[in-house]
Structures are given as C-alpha cells and as structure tokens.
Amino acid sequence: MLRGIDPAAAAVAGLALALRMPLLVAALPGVGNSDEPLNVTVGVRMASAGTFDAHSYRYPGLVYEVVAGTAGVFRTLGLHVSVHGAMRIENLGIAHTDSRLLMIGIRLVGAAASVGTCLLVWATVRRVLQNTRMETRWMRIAAALAAVTVAVSPLAAANSAYATPDVYGGFAVALTLYGATRVLTGDPYGELACGFGVGLALGAKYLAAAAIPVVVAYALSPGRRKDLLKVAAISAVVFIATTPAVVMHPGAVLAGMEAEAIHYETGHVGAEGSAPWYYLTALARDQPLLLDGLAVAVVAVFRAKGIIRSTLIVALAYAIPQFILLSVMTVRFDRNLVPLTPALAVAAGVAIPALFPRRHRGAVLALATVAAFLPLASSARLYPRLDERARVQAAAWVTRHIPAAQRVAVESYGPWLDPGRFHLVPLTFAADRPGVAARALILTQHAAGRFLADPEHHPREVAAYRELLERYRLAARFTAGSWIAVYVPR
C-alpha cells in the first residue's frame, strides 16, 4: 500500500501538517477569533439538543455540523462537553473555553481539510499534465509546487486552525476542480466529485460560483453533458445534508444570507474600501507565485491547446467571477481568499510548465520554486502571532495591579479577565463611550487601532479617543502579537 504513495505528495502533506499542527493549541484556553466562539457555541448546542437546526444562518450549516459532530464523538467516548463551558463569550473577539481538548478536536478537522486541499491541488495538476506529452519528472515537480503554494500559504495555514468555514470552502473548491478535470479527461466519477464539491461549497460559505467551472467543464465535454443533471442532484443532496434548514426553514436561511449581504455592502469599520487593491496586495503578500501564475494562465489560455487550455478555462471560470464578486463588496477580509487560492494554484501549476519552452524549463523551475517557498518563513512564525501572548500578559498585569471588584473596561479583542474577580465593562469600541469611568481601561489594536491608524477617515472616533485619553494615562503596553494597552485614571 505504501509503495503506491507518491513521495512528492507525501512530502507536501507532511509540510502542510507540520505548519498547521502547532496552531491547533494557539491561544487556548483563550479564543480570540471573532467568528470561532459563536460557531462553537451554535454547534455544541446542536449536539446537546440533538438537532440539525442551527437557528443561525449567516453561514450555512457545514461548520456547525463539524462542531456538533466533534462534540457528539467526544460524548460517545465518555468525554464531558459542557454547553456553557465549551465557550464563554465576554466580548467580540474575547472568549474562553473550558474544553481545550474539544477545541483541538474541532480545529483538527479543519487542519485535515486544509491538508486535503493541498493534495487535491496536487492530484488535479498531475492528472491534467499526465494527459499531455510532458516528461514525468517535470509533471511531478509542477504538481508538487502547485500544492506547495497552498501548503505554505500563511492565510491557508492560519485559517485551518479556526472553527470557521473558510477552510472548508477551500477544500470544496479544490474538490470541484478535481472533479471538473476528471470530466475533461473523460475519467469516471467526475460527476460525483463535482456534485460533492459544489454541495460542500454551498454548505460552507454559499459559494455558488463553484458551480460555474462545473458547467464550463461539461460544456467543453459534449459527450458527458447529460451527467450535469447528476451533478445538480448530488450537489442539492449534499447542500441539504449540510444545511437542512434550506428545506425545513428556508426563510431563516434566506434571512441569514440577506443579513450577511447587507453586512458586506454597508461596511465594517477597519475592513472596508478599495477591495480589489486590498485583495491583490493581500494575495501578493500571502503567495506571490499565485499572482504571477494567474498572469501566466491568462496568456496561456490563448496560446495553449487541448486539455491545458480547457483546464485553464475551467479554473479561471471560478477564480475570475469570485474575485469580481469579492471586489464589488464594501467589506473585505483577507480570509475570503482561502477558497480562491486552490483555483489559482491549479491554474499556475498547469500554465507555467505548459507556456514556457523546454529549454527554459530549468530556469523557470528555479524561479517558481523560490516564489512558492517565499511565504514559508511567515507560516513558520504564525504560532507566536496567533497565540496572542499580549492578551495573557495584559490579563496578568491587570490581575496583579488592579484590586478585585473594580470596574475594568475592555475593548473588543482584549484579554480574557475573570468575571468573578472584576466588574467588567465590555466595549466594542471605547470611542462609542468616551465618558466611561473605570479603574482600568484596555484598548486594543484590533479595536482602537483601526481608527488611530487611519485618522483621516475616522476623525470623529479619533477625537473621541483623544478625549478619553485626557482622563487616562498609559500604565502598560504589550506587543507580543497585536498590541494591547492598559490605561488607568490620571
């Protein structure tokens, strides 16, 4: 059995796993991601109530079912999962778990999906290039480098460690593209992979654009167009299985989708404006080879032939519409690139070795290898950033210097403080309450910092912070991760 494993694929999987495993315990028992606490709370309640109804559909149901399934497995094994202790939410981006093992189990599923995404990219590129006259050595190297771009991506690695839907969206898109290339090459079970991929994409993040490359693949394969109905049926079944409320409570699902659409259209302080440029620069920082590969792929569409050209059309049929959709939104988050990167990786892995002449292949390989591995250093340094030691240090300072039972005002993304020791005053943004009175005031980079870093666009909020700081003085500042500052009355 082991003899059938490609060493290059095993190496890519090992690299991806090595970068992701340490992140499973990052920050615990603190939970600082803004979405993770609510997702875990919803999933654990589903497991406790024995229901598939999440009652919350700004995200579809897949991530909630992963949490509920993990909690169910723990209970089957006799491990206690507390409904209230699984996630104690204090404020936006401030939560605490009494069930570290449960959180690690949930995150482990995401890490497995992320590693699976890398392997699907590898398998897709390899399958396409196998249908060309390319030498086996170059084919294997191209497939491995394409998978490496996802394996060492800091965005992909970081989001694999959160109980959030982006990592599952990336896996779903990679599975869809793998199925689409099986359709193009005439291999069996393409409709099964496409159906599961599209269904999971809808169940992860309502990624309807994932259906476009499937339709294009069948349009390019006239003899298999009748199978498109099978794909539609399979994807519908998978979507309903991940989000049963689409049948039981369609109004709730539509209301959730509408709420998220309004959120992305109306704005989110600190994460809005210039979306196209924001995503391009974020992609260039995260994995430069993908951006270069996209440019090569666009050229190769007009110069390549056969299966290479068809695959590029299919990959770009997802990447371009999805990027346009993200770009027209007011709100932008870099995590939205996670479901986009598998399509870019497939396009780069197929286009680069096909476009350049054989005599230049060695030089191109060297440049591509350097570009693919450039983000490795950033990915290797993710743990200290995600571990948010500044939060732990700030909490320790407050506990040591502020008497018990005193009022402590804490902004979003601040440290977790014992609610039994202090009278906590949660503040989304301290600028909203410049008159707040407390024995200690805690400001954070992810809250106050988003205004103070851009005073030109937020003059009202900056003025409120200045008014606030006329009554408080800086007592301590911690910078291990995002900065956190503790102020006390003057």
Side-chain angles (χ1 to χ4, degrees), residues 82-343:
S82 169
V83 177
H84 301 292
M87 195 62 62
R88 291 188 283 160
I89 301 174
E90 185 175 287
N91 197 357
L92 179 65
I94 307 176
H96 184 279
T97 180
D98 296 330
S99 306
R100 293 194 197 200
L101 196 58
L102 174 66
M103 288 300 301
I104 293 171
I106 295 167
R107 291 174 172 183
L108 188 60
V109 179
S114 188
V115 174
T117 302
C118 300
L119 292 177
L120 283 168
V121 168
W122 171 84
T124 301
V125 174
R126 182 180 171 89
R127 177 167 296 278
V128 170
L129 296 182
Q130 276 179 331
N131 284 267
T132 67
R133 295 182 179 180
M134 186 175 296
E135 300 93 323
T136 301
R137 179 166 65 103
W138 294 114
M139 172 190 69
R140 294 178 64 193
I141 291 173
L145 281 180
V148 163
T149 62
V150 183
V152 305
S153 160
L155 270 177
N159 282 275
S160 72
Y162 297 136
T164 53
D166 302 280
V167 65
Y168 303 111
F171 176 83
V173 169
L175 180 59
T176 299
L177 293 175
Y178 174 71
T181 54
R182 292 189 73 93
V183 172
L184 293 174
T185 55
D187 292 319
Y189 308 116
E191 70 277 7
L192 194 62
C194 287
F196 269 91
V198 173
L200 290 175
L202 292 170
K205 285 199 75 175
Y206 299 123
L207 292 172
I212 301 175
V214 176
V215 174
V216 171
Y218 277 99
L220 295 172
S221 308
R224 304 191 66 175
R225 289 176 185 170
K226 61 181 183 299
D227 290 337
L228 200 52
L229 289 175
K230 295 181 185 177
V231 175
I234 294 169
S235 61
V237 170
V238 173
F239 181 39
I240 292 171
T242 58
T243 313
V246 75
V247 173
M248 298 186 300
H249 307 292
V253 175
L254 289 174
M257 294 172 65
E258 184 181 8
E260 195 64 7
I262 291 172
H263 172 217
Y264 269 79
E265 281 297 326
T266 55
H268 183 102
V269 176
E272 57 191 22
S274 304
W277 178 247
Y278 171 85
Y279 284 119
L280 286 173
T281 54
L283 185 61
R285 289 193 305 268
D286 181 67
Q287 182 49 268
L289 182 58
L290 294 184
L291 204 55
D292 297 334
L294 177 61
V296 174
V298 171
V299 175
V301 165
F302 299 98
R303 296 186 57 182
K305 298 178 181 179
I307 186 63
I308 296 291
R309 184 171 183 267
S310 298
T311 301
L312 292 174
I313 291 173
V314 165
L316 295 177
Y318 171 76
I320 293 176
Q322 184 65 14
F323 184 83
I324 292 173
L325 177 63
L326 295 176
S327 297
V328 299
M329 297 291 185
T330 301
V331 176
R332 73 287 192 282
F333 298 112
D334 57 6
R335 64 173 180 261
N336 290 328
L337 290 172
V338 174
L340 190 65
T341 50

